[in-house]
Amino acid sequence: MAGHTENSITIDAPFDLVWEMTNDLENWPRLFSEYASVEILSREGATTRFRLTMHPDENGKVWSWVSERTPDREKRTVRARRVETGPFAHMDIVWEYAEVPGGVQMHWTQDFAMKPDAPVDDDWMTDNINRNSRTQLALIRDRIEQVARDSESASVASSR
């Protein structure tokens, strides 16, 4: 069996701002609430290999792993995968961006499977990812929309 999740949100902001903020890996700890740090390990062409470290969980455990991420602005997609899979047999993620009425829809698809000896199964992880994705997407939306509002206010003020 394998896990599959799809979650999306519409962000009331220009595409360029949404793209730039969500693909600025070094600033992910300020965009996502779950990440304590991001360490860029290498860049090759459009692909970035990086280490993500989370804040300690409820048991005090700090989770960390290496991922690769390749954005394609022309196609408005990002493909990512875990290189250090930890409890996952595999984890593949696709981010898709589409301009829609009201802003930019950002859609996350995650396909994964847990290893047989993982502490949780695919169903548990599916529920966990869905719950956490909704939280993180709302937070990302709110933070990007605040930057868009602040930028718009600054533009209006400077044009006076």
Side-chain angles (χ1 to χ4, degrees), residues 5 49 59 68 97 104 107 119 125 134 136 138 147 155:
T5 66
R49 184 174 280 212
N59 298 316
E68 284 184 344
Y97 300 79
V104 176
H107 184 91
M125 188 55 74
R134 285 188 290 273
Q136 295 304 313
V147 169
S155 293

Side-chain angles (χ1 to χ4, degrees), residues 8-160:
S8 62
I9 199 160
T10 299
I11 302 169
D12 185 10
F15 170 78
D16 288 339
L17 180 63
V18 174
W19 180 266
E20 293 306 320
M21 287 185 69
T22 59
N23 288 290
D24 181 0
L25 296 176
E26 290 89 345
N27 283 306
W28 273 13
R30 288 183 284 286
L31 190 61
F32 290 81
S33 64
E34 61 188 340
Y35 300 139
S37 67
V38 176
E39 176 188 2
I40 304 301
L41 302 174
S42 66
R43 294 186 195 269
E44 188 171 319
T47 301
T48 302
R49 184 174 280 212
F50 57 100
R51 174 170 295 285
L52 275 174
T53 302
M54 298 182 77
H55 294 288
D57 67 16
E58 61 279 354
N59 298 316
K61 177 152 178 57
V62 175
W63 296 91
S64 181
W65 63 91
V66 173
S67 289
E68 284 184 344
R69 183 174 169 79
T70 306
D72 184 334
R73 187 181 177 111
E74 187 176 303
K75 292 182 180 173
R76 297 183 177 208
T77 61
V78 178
R79 298 201 175 276
R81 69 181 184 92
R82 282 193 183 202
V83 176
E84 288 179 4
T85 58
F88 293 91
H90 68 89
M91 166 62 87
D92 299 302
I93 306 168
V94 177
W95 295 39
E96 297 172 292
Y97 300 79
E99 290 183 84
V100 297
V104 176
Q105 182 184 59
M106 186 168 63
H107 184 91
W108 292 348
T109 303
Q110 293 174 273
D111 288 299
F112 61 92
M114 303 308 295
K115 291 178 180 173
D117 61 346
V120 298
D121 64 13
D122 293 338
D123 289 338
W124 186 95
M125 188 55 74
T126 297
D127 290 343
N128 185 61
I129 288 172
N130 278 327
R131 186 173 44 257
N132 189 55
S133 291
R134 285 188 290 273
T135 299
Q136 295 304 313
L137 283 166
L139 184 61
I140 291 166
R141 177 201 59 212
D142 293 349
R143 289 179 174 169
I144 293 173
E145 287 179 354
Q146 184 63 53
V147 169
R149 282 192 300 274
D150 291 349
S151 176
E152 194 175 284
S153 294
S155 293
V156 169
S158 69
S159 68
R160 291 183 183 165

